[in-house]
Amino acid sequence: HTKTGNPLVDSVAEHQAASPEAYFQYLHKVCYLAPVGLLMVCLFSFNDSSSFLLVYGVAAYFFSHKMVRLILLTAPIASVTAGIALGKFVSWAVDAIALDQSLDLWAFLLGNSTTEASTTGTAVASKAKPKKGKRNTNGDGDDDVVAAGQPLYMRIVRLAIFGAVAFQSIPEFKSFWQISHEVAVQVSHPTIIQKAQRRDTGETIFIDDYRQAYLWLKNNTPEDARIMAWWDYGYQITG
């Protein structure tokens, strides 16, 4: 008990330092996507507003790493940054079929290679392309250079990459969905009788020690007895 100097506090499992297995147990696949999203925020869209995500992420990771029960603090920021990572990837793929840049791509995919479709796509692209040295100014006063349309083969490659990654990720999404529902059921239906499995024989057993101990207290102590216990056991005894 050298961490806090208090044997009672140091003996509690929830007060131990978090391990990579603990992060995966509670966050599952999100613990891999969240750092990617946070890196994207820092590299591509860092400003006064998004700096809050960086501060929140660093603080949540620091405190959760010190105490495993504080992994709960990382759930919101991990969800946000993982969503940013997925959103950026989907946006990167969707941009390949944007209407103002990809009329010729649609014509190619639909088997329509008429001169009219090609001419229309060129006209739209030419209309959107600014004159040399000109910049578009958005409502915030920031200058944005209008990007020229990518070649057709590059957009097809982007769509192919997105399709391949999406197809390979289907089992992962199903696994994440299943684990999330299992955890939700476990958390919303707490019980003092636990099911476990023996390591040597693989036999499934039920641990009923808490219920038997509470029954002993009920049958062997007065109604107004005061029981010294940790706070969570105190809630169970009172209930």
Side-chain angles (χ1 to χ4, degrees):
H1 53 83
T2 58
K3 187 175 181 180
T4 66
N6 188 327
L8 181 60
V9 174
D10 291 341
S11 65
V12 178
E14 290 87 350
H15 293 171
Q16 304 304 313
S19 63
E21 292 77 13
Y23 283 102
F24 184 81
Q25 178 183 355
Y26 291 103
L27 301 178
H28 207 247
K29 305 298 182 182
V30 173
C31 67
Y32 299 126
L33 288 174
V36 177
L38 191 61
L39 184 63
M40 288 181 174
V41 170
C42 295
L43 295 180
F44 305 116
S45 57
F46 189 78
N47 51 44
D48 292 343
S49 300
S50 61
S51 63
F52 171 75
L53 299 178
L54 176 62
V55 175
Y56 187 179
V58 172
Y61 176 75
F62 174 81
F63 287 107
S64 65
H65 185 69
K66 295 294 184 181
M67 190 179 297
V68 66
R69 70 190 312 167
L70 296 182
I71 290 181
L72 179 66
L73 296 177
T74 64
I77 184 62
S79 301
V80 171
T81 51
I84 290 174
L86 289 176
K88 290 285 188 181
F89 178 66
V90 173
S91 177
W92 175 78
V94 171
D95 283 346
I97 54 175
L99 181 61
D100 60 342
Q101 296 182 7
S102 304
L103 292 179
D104 51 348
L105 174 60
W106 282 111
F108 176 82
L109 295 177
L110 297 176
N112 180 12
S113 57
T114 60
T115 307
E116 180 181 356
S118 178
T119 305
T120 306
T122 305
V124 173
S126 300
K127 184 177 180 181
K129 186 177 180 181
K131 295 181 180 179
K132 185 177 180 180
K134 295 293 183 179
R135 293 172 178 263
N136 285 351
T137 305
N138 58 26
D140 297 332
D142 297 329
D143 290 336
D144 257 343
V145 178
V146 178
Q150 287 187 331
L152 176 61
Y153 73 90
M154 284 298 298
R155 281 178 262 153
I156 295 177
V157 169
R158 287 168 65 173
L159 287 177
I161 293 175
F162 174 76
V165 173
F167 180 77
Q168 294 293 330
S169 301
I170 291 177
E172 303 297 335
F173 283 118
K174 289 182 177 179
S175 173
F176 179 75
W177 179 272
Q178 182 179 358
I179 293 295
S180 298
H181 279 270
E182 291 177 358
V183 172
V185 171
Q186 294 173 5
V187 173
S188 60
H189 297 80
T191 178
I192 59 175
I193 302 177
Q194 301 176 358
K195 184 171 68 172
Q197 193 173 22
R198 295 177 61 94
R199 294 183 179 179
D200 51 354
T201 63
E203 178 187 0
T204 300
I205 59 175
F206 291 91
I207 302 175
D208 195 25
D209 297 349
Y210 287 112
R211 189 181 67 87
Q212 295 180 14
Y214 294 149
L215 285 176
W216 187 94
L217 287 174
K218 179 180 180 180
N219 298 328
N220 294 275
T221 57
E223 290 290 335
D224 58 350
R226 295 181 181 272
I227 309 297
M228 181 179 295
W230 201 254
W231 63 268
D232 45 0
Y233 305 129
Y235 282 135
Q236 295 173 0
I237 294 172
T238 303

